[in-house]
Amino acid sequence: MRLVLVLAQGVSPLRPEDAVFEGMLEGWTRQQRGGRRLQPKTIGDRLRAVERFSEFTNAYPRQWAASDLDDRMTHLIGVVRRAESTIRSYRGRSGCSATT
């Protein structure tokens, strides 16, 4: 379970972009659990994939582009040496599939 940041009225987070991203991930996690009825392991795998993608791009979701996903997949094949079948499974869990 993820922790949710709750601030008192009039208090702003020091890093609002991080707070928005964490809130987005929490909402997405709840939707995966409640709306799609996915198992915790599946949700956790997808969540980690989105977090790894964000770390790779060093950007927030609103800044992601289709080319970022291509760069990530190229890195995984060329540098990390993942199999192409593994890459196909990552594409669906990346959180960026809507931009491609």
Side-chain angles (χ1 to χ4, degrees):
M1 180 171 197
R2 299 177 68 83
L3 296 176
V4 178
L5 176 65
V6 178
L7 299 174
Q9 186 174 355
V11 176
S12 299
L14 292 176
R15 297 171 54 175
E17 296 88 358
D18 289 340
V20 169
F21 185 55
E22 287 298 318
M24 182 207 74
L25 291 177
E26 177 59 29
W28 184 72
T29 299
R30 289 181 185 186
Q31 187 274 332
Q32 297 285 296
R33 190 175 339 127
R36 303 207 49 211
R37 310 291 291 164
L38 296 177
Q39 296 298 313
K41 181 184 181 327
T42 301
I43 296 168
D45 290 347
R46 291 177 176 190
L47 187 60
R48 282 186 293 284
V50 171
E51 289 169 339
R52 284 192 303 267
F53 186 74
S54 181
E55 289 171 8
F56 177 81
T57 63
N58 197 31
Y60 296 103
R62 68 180 179 279
Q63 300 165 321
W64 294 345
S67 60
D68 292 328
L69 185 59
D70 292 338
D71 291 345
R72 174 73 172 151
M73 297 304 132
T74 299
H75 172 79
L76 290 172
I77 291 171
V79 177
V80 182
R81 302 285 190 211
R82 295 278 193 252
E84 288 187 35
S85 59
T86 302
I87 299 307
R88 282 192 295 274
S89 74
Y90 285 173
R91 286 187 76 89
R93 296 187 311 217
S94 67
C96 196
S97 57
T99 66
T100 60

